[in-house]
Amino acid sequence: MGIEGSFWRAIAVYRVASLGYAALVLASAGGYRHPVAGWSVIGLMAVWTAVTTVAYSTARSRPLLVADVVVTLGCMLASPYVQETGAGPAGVLPITATWVAGPVLAWAVYGGRRAGALAAVVLALGDLWLRGLGAAGVSVPVNGAVLLVLAGTVLGHVTRLTRQAEERLQRAVEMEAAGRERERLARGIHDSVLQVLALVQRRGRGARQRCAK
């Protein structure tokens, strides 16, 4: 559908922008403790962004969406091997930064609010395990988890409403087209009946004239 396609294009734009933000965070942090590993993860994120951008524009399958979550979760959980020890509990963003929300948005558009919320819970649990509830306090990781769940739920709900509106519009267009076709057929039948009646009338008049002679 056209409107749903706009959602997928918006997700692709979000992924690219989030990838740029993650690369900027890595560069501003001096590559963290292991720059080579950090840029390797960013490279993998870039490749996966390209793959999903192309794949979601043509085929949106459940295995691809599952792989999206797995790859994103793997990139996020690579953060301890890139950053300083204790960076996660200290409240430092994972190396994926906001890029982690990509699969949540994809699942929300594909399957609705429940699917979006479920994908958000999976990734939020990974983030909570990574950062913990220690030195950074409860608010930082929990806020991130809540935002992920809200994003998945709200976008899934909006997508469902959009599909319903588009389906109703399509039905209205089809009903209007069917009504016009019925009117066209009715006019055709009406004109045919009038032509037959006129022909019968002319022949009847001619027959009377012949009888009068």
Side-chain angles (χ1 to χ4, degrees):
M1 293 184 182
I3 298 178
E4 186 175 337
S6 298
F7 281 117
W8 290 107
R9 287 190 292 272
I11 292 174
V13 172
Y14 172 83
R15 285 179 181 272
V16 172
S18 296
L19 175 65
Y21 176 66
L24 182 62
V25 170
L26 180 64
S28 63
Y32 292 119
R33 185 177 181 181
H34 301 288
V36 174
W39 288 111
S40 297
V41 173
I42 294 293
L44 175 60
M45 290 164 56
V47 170
W48 188 247
T49 297
V51 169
T52 54
T53 298
V54 174
Y56 284 144
S57 66
T58 56
R60 297 139 194 170
S61 62
R62 192 175 294 269
L64 176 62
L65 287 155
V66 172
D68 198 1
V69 173
V70 171
V71 171
T72 303
L73 191 61
C75 290
M76 180 175 65
L77 296 180
S79 297
Y81 304 99
V82 176
Q83 298 171 334
E84 296 291 338
T85 304
V92 178
L93 275 174
I95 189 172
T96 48
T98 56
W99 189 79
V100 73
V104 175
L105 304 179
W107 271 100
V109 173
Y110 175 81
R113 57 179 181 268
R114 289 194 182 98
L118 181 60
V121 167
V122 171
L123 290 166
L125 288 175
D127 185 49
L128 288 173
W129 178 84
L130 183 66
R131 295 202 271 177
L133 302 175
V138 175
S139 62
V140 173
V142 169
N143 284 346
V146 170
L147 287 174
L148 276 178
V149 173
L150 284 176
T153 303
V154 171
L155 182 58
H157 183 64
V158 170
T159 303
R160 184 176 65 86
L161 293 178
T162 301
R163 284 198 189 103
Q164 291 176 350
E166 195 169 28
E167 289 171 359
R168 285 195 293 268
L169 178 61
Q170 182 63 30
R171 285 196 297 269
V173 170
E174 291 173 356
M175 290 175 63
E176 182 180 2
R180 290 178 178 175
E181 181 64 16
R182 285 194 297 269
E183 291 177 1
R184 186 186 68 80
L185 292 174
R187 285 195 300 270
I189 294 173
H190 181 265
D191 293 342
S192 298
V193 170
L194 290 179
Q195 290 173 2
V196 171
L197 291 175
L199 179 61
V200 170
Q201 186 179 18
R202 286 196 301 271
R203 288 184 177 179
R205 188 183 300 114
R208 285 194 299 271
Q209 290 174 355
R210 286 193 297 271
C211 289
K213 292 178 180 179

